[in-house]
Amino acid sequence: MNLFNDHKKLFIIATLLFGTLTLFVAVFPSLYNETISQPLYGSIPLTEEQEAGRQVYISNGCVSCHTQQVRDVDMDKTWGDRPNVAADYAHSTRKSIWQNAGTLMGTERTGPDLSNIGARQPSQDWHLVHLYNPRTVMPQSIMAPFPWLFQIKDKAEKGDVKVNVPDEFMYGQKGIVVATKDALNLVAYLQSLKQVKLPDGTPTPEFLYKKQKSEITTEANGVKQELNGSDLYAANCMACHQQNGEGLKGAFPALKGSKIVLDDNPEILVGIIMNGYNPREEYGVMPAVGTNANLSAEEVAAIMNHERSSWGNNAKKVTPEQVKKLMDLAKLSAPKQ
């Protein structure tokens, strides 16, 4: 056939074929998805500050290590209450004909997924300390620090947001760490990342490949063994309150010697674990760790007993049955969403 000997005709036909396939396989389905994917009720578009933070997130390569997609597999359950749906990304619209907003879903989970980080960790103080030097709050962290998002000053000025960084994490510098506008915008963006509840009556996607969770083992004599409170504390509490229970001055309160931890009546401590706490002034906001992580009464009791018996603390142990009753009370007093 002469067609295969005429490179011009061959090139034109190949281009038309490729262009047609692109339209029907990629462009038209994408446009259709934009028309049917509406934002979930209760979702809020990014503010100007949060959008600026999103650009800081992009420019600093955060998407290289963090995803924003809770997949429908059970191993992702720790990152969100449900798998993500298309409507979660409906606010990610094109900025211009040349600029696509992108969903920043990511492809690699070197660090934790951030789909629901605004609910898991709402504290501005924690994020700022973590960005300046991740090892301050997570000794084993492999995350790169971002000191260029901060300034070191001899004296804080009016309106400055100070970051409470211990001297050993200051890279040998002296002075007061102050967050720049870029750092504050980035944190505002991270705080905005929250999963929105699906509308009433909408079936919640299930997590697949669930593993059986054996929370408590039973010894041969029929006595239930306690969970490892130290491991649970490390997984849920240590990032803020530290391994030694001393917290970080000006950022996270100490549990060592804490009156609330040592109180014979554990009601307040259970309420804080399940509903979080906003001290408003001295410390950052504590998220509802127990609720966000779906901790059972046995797990909460194990964490509390670890806190009440470590670092020189010596308080009466609590039982799962006692904690369960207090968890039910805490659920009733939880702030409405």
Side-chain angles (χ1 to χ4, degrees):
M1 293 179 63
N2 290 332
L3 173 63
F4 295 105
N5 296 322
D6 191 332
H7 69 278
K8 291 183 179 179
K9 289 182 180 179
L10 192 60
F11 179 80
I12 292 172
I13 291 173
T15 301
L16 290 174
L17 179 61
F18 179 78
T20 302
L21 287 173
T22 302
L23 287 173
F24 282 95
V25 174
V27 178
F28 292 156
S30 178
L31 293 174
Y32 175 71
N33 284 337
E34 284 190 7
T35 62
I36 63 172
S37 295
Q38 299 299 318
L40 292 172
Y41 178 78
S43 63
I44 303 172
L46 296 180
T47 64
E48 185 177 340
E49 180 186 47
Q50 292 164 351
E51 178 57 39
R54 185 176 177 279
Q55 297 306 317
V56 176
Y57 182 93
I58 294 170
S59 63
N60 282 277
C62 303
V63 71
S64 299
C65 295
H66 294 283
T67 58
Q68 290 182 30
Q69 51 169 326
V70 178
R71 300 167 300 180
D72 60 354
V73 292
D74 194 60
M75 64 184 292
D76 278 16
K77 198 170 185 178
T78 185
W79 308 126
D81 295 328
R82 58 170 175 79
N84 283 122
V85 295
D88 287 317
Y89 308 103
H91 281 304
S92 297
T93 54
R94 184 176 290 278
K95 300 300 178 184
S96 69
I97 192 172
W98 303 113
Q99 184 184 14
N100 185 8
T103 57
L104 305 184
M105 292 173 69
T107 58
E108 187 172 336
R109 195 163 292 170
T110 304
D113 182 83
L114 301 179
S115 299
N116 204 34
I117 188 63
R120 294 205 317 268
Q121 184 51 269
S123 171
Q124 182 190 62
D125 302 82
W126 188 91
H127 284 294
L128 290 174
V129 170
H130 184 244
L131 285 169
Y132 181 77
N133 188 337
R135 262 62 64 188
T136 307
V137 291
M138 193 64 67
Q140 299 82 12
S141 176
I142 61 171
M143 174 176 155
F146 294 85
W148 55 86
L149 297 177
F150 302 84
Q151 294 178 332
I152 307 297
K153 295 185 177 181
D154 294 328
K155 183 178 180 182
E157 302 171 10
K158 184 179 179 181
D160 282 345
V161 176
K162 294 187 291 184
V163 184
N164 297 287
V165 181
D167 292 340
E168 60 267 32
F169 296 100
M170 286 282 292
Y171 308 110
Q173 297 176 297
K174 298 290 184 181
I176 297 172
V177 180
V178 175
T180 64
K181 188 64 176 174
D182 279 350
L184 295 174
N185 287 341
L186 176 55
V187 171
Y189 172 65
L190 293 173
Q191 290 175 312
S192 75
L193 298 177
K194 300 176 183 178
Q195 278 192 326
V196 179
K197 289 185 177 180
L198 296 178
D200 292 341
T202 303
T204 302
E206 291 188 6
F207 288 99
L208 307 177
Y209 314 113
K210 296 179 181 179
K211 295 180 181 179
Q212 278 195 330
K213 187 178 181 182
S214 180
E215 294 184 342
I216 300 176
T217 57
T218 304
E219 295 179 336
N221 58 8
V223 178
K224 289 182 178 179
Q225 292 181 311
E226 292 184 1
L227 295 173
N228 190 319
S230 177
D231 289 346
L232 288 165
Y233 174 85
N236 296 282
C237 315
M238 193 174 74
C240 294
H241 298 293
Q242 304 297 289
Q243 188 172 7
N244 58 12
E246 295 180 1
L248 288 177
K249 187 177 180 181
F252 314 113
L255 302 180
K256 179 181 179 180
S258 166
K259 292 181 180 179
I260 293 176
V261 174
L262 296 173
D263 195 335
D264 284 341
N265 182 357
E267 182 176 352
I268 295 177
L269 183 55
V270 172
I272 291 174
I273 291 173
M274 299 308 298
N275 297 334
Y277 181 62
N278 184 1
R280 302 185 189 282
E281 294 179 3
E282 188 176 0
Y283 298 108
V285 178
M286 175 175 166
V289 174
T291 300
N292 293 344
N294 295 313
L295 296 180
S296 66
E298 290 78 13
E299 289 171 323
V300 174
I303 291 172
M304 291 175 62
N305 286 329
H306 173 74
E307 295 172 350
R308 290 162 74 87
S309 61
S310 301
W311 321 300
N313 290 348
N314 186 19
K316 186 170 59 177
K317 290 181 68 173
V318 297
T319 64
E321 293 74 22
Q322 183 182 10
V323 170
K324 178 67 171 67
K325 292 178 181 178
L326 294 175
M327 284 172 64
D328 292 338
L329 289 174
K331 191 177 295 183
L332 292 174
S333 62
K336 303 298 181 183
Q337 299 296 324

